[in-house]
Amino acid sequence: MLKRPSFIVAVLLTLIVAGTFVVNSKTQKLSKVKTAEEYWAETGLSSETLEELLQEGSCNSSERYFFACVASVQSVAQKYGLDLTTEGQLVPVSKSQSQSSTHLFSEREVLAPWKVFLSSQSQIPNIPFLKIWRELLEKHIKPKQVSFAVGIGMNGFLSIFRDPHTYLLPAKMYSEVVSKANHRSLSIGVVIGRDEDQYFVKKVIANSSSFLAGLHKGDVILSVNGHRAGPLSAQELSDFLRGDEGSALNLTVRHHGEIKSINVIRTEQRLPTVSTQVLDGIKPVGVLTINKFAINACTEVKSALKSLKQQGIQGLLLDLRDNPGGQMEEATCVTSLFIGPGKKVYQIKPLSDDIQQETSYGAEEQQYQGPMAVLINSGSASAAEIVAGALQDYKRAVLVGERSFGKGSFQEGEIWSKNINIVIFETKGFYYLPSGRTPQLVGLEPDVKVNFKDNFALREADQFWYPLVPENLSVPMEFAADLQPDLAACISFDSDLLSSDDPEIKEAHRVLSCRGIAERGAR
């Protein structure tokens, strides 16, 4: 059996996590990076595999099966610029009666019209899904794209019929890309979010191509290579952003009201896992950003903490915004750097007796004892939620920001019985924090809330039709209850001197400047 993947699968399609997606470029020149479509083509996955699921009489056998068939065919149709109407017709997306002025972004939104349609029927209708699939196959899907399209359809089906995190992935893609958490990638180093009808930059990774080109957090993307960005779906925008190594990507953005044209050069690079800065003031505060929990993340964090302490910091902001997770071993190690060895970080509770219940304890000596706050947002998921949640449980840090994504499940992978070139990842259980709560579905509530720019955030509960619901949801934390009086009375002169480009950093800095609050995050 394969070990749990390092990241939520982000390479089958463009992954939209908490309303954001990381943009990766592709090339067949210097980097020799294969596309997802090419990996799927190598599996030889045939149309018959999906057709077995779409047989007449099956799709109307139950409500859940019906929605699975809709999701399967609809996900393929939208990949090719089409929409499936409740009359069983394929129409261009722009002419679909069920399509709103902006493109659909989540499974829940895609299926909502079908829920309304189904409620108006006396029984589950017999939509000819198999016939519709074959129409897609004959008129819109090229022969070399068949395996890719089948993979999309299968995963759309599994997301409903099984759960949102059970999926298929080419075995080579897993071994060559997904399992290599620290691989070099051709990336422009930016995380993009959507706020109603426009795209904007949520995060720019330090020293990336986008950083060097002058993109900033909060920049609104107006056009990509001359194409208006607003009307594009996430997949369409991602397609425009991809390109060969060394080629230029032209973005027109609005930065603080000023329209700017920026050229980003696509380059192959290993984007940093950890970055730091020091906020100067009466009491210098270090900012330690972890972009992902890749291999050796803990070693890098330990080194970064040593450097920050040498610079005389008197407070620490641990920035886990838009961190999608990664290696759980690294997350455990990082947590122990702040709480010391021998303390529980998380517990695994499996769904069946086939997997043993496990408890993970930190082994590292505590490297930082001072006051600290952790920044989280809707893009903080999985391993990032474990770290933030454990620090909150031990009252080691104050959480600042907005509710996190809510990914507290884990998957195991094994070779799929129907095709030895494909791995199937199945949900096996949930992660639980030291307090006994799980971030699954509900996420983590911050102790101090900040209204982020990304009001269009899609979390676990927002995206999926049948999200995973654990038996024991989050146990409410009491840490935040007595913070507000202190915070309301607190004035931070240092924060007033900080740049307004990052209001969340300003608020977290203000939190650490409040003596009563800061002392609770120090031990």
Side-chain angles (χ1 to χ4, degrees), residues 139-151:
K139 297 182 179 180
H140 303 283
I141 301 172
K142 298 177 182 178
K144 64 180 181 180
Q145 298 173 326
V146 170
S147 294
F148 182 48
V150 174

Side-chain angles (χ1 to χ4, degrees), residues 496-507:
D496 294 336
L497 300 176
L498 297 178
S499 169
S500 59
D501 285 345
D502 200 332
E504 299 89 40
I505 287 286
K506 286 191 67 175
E507 184 65 10

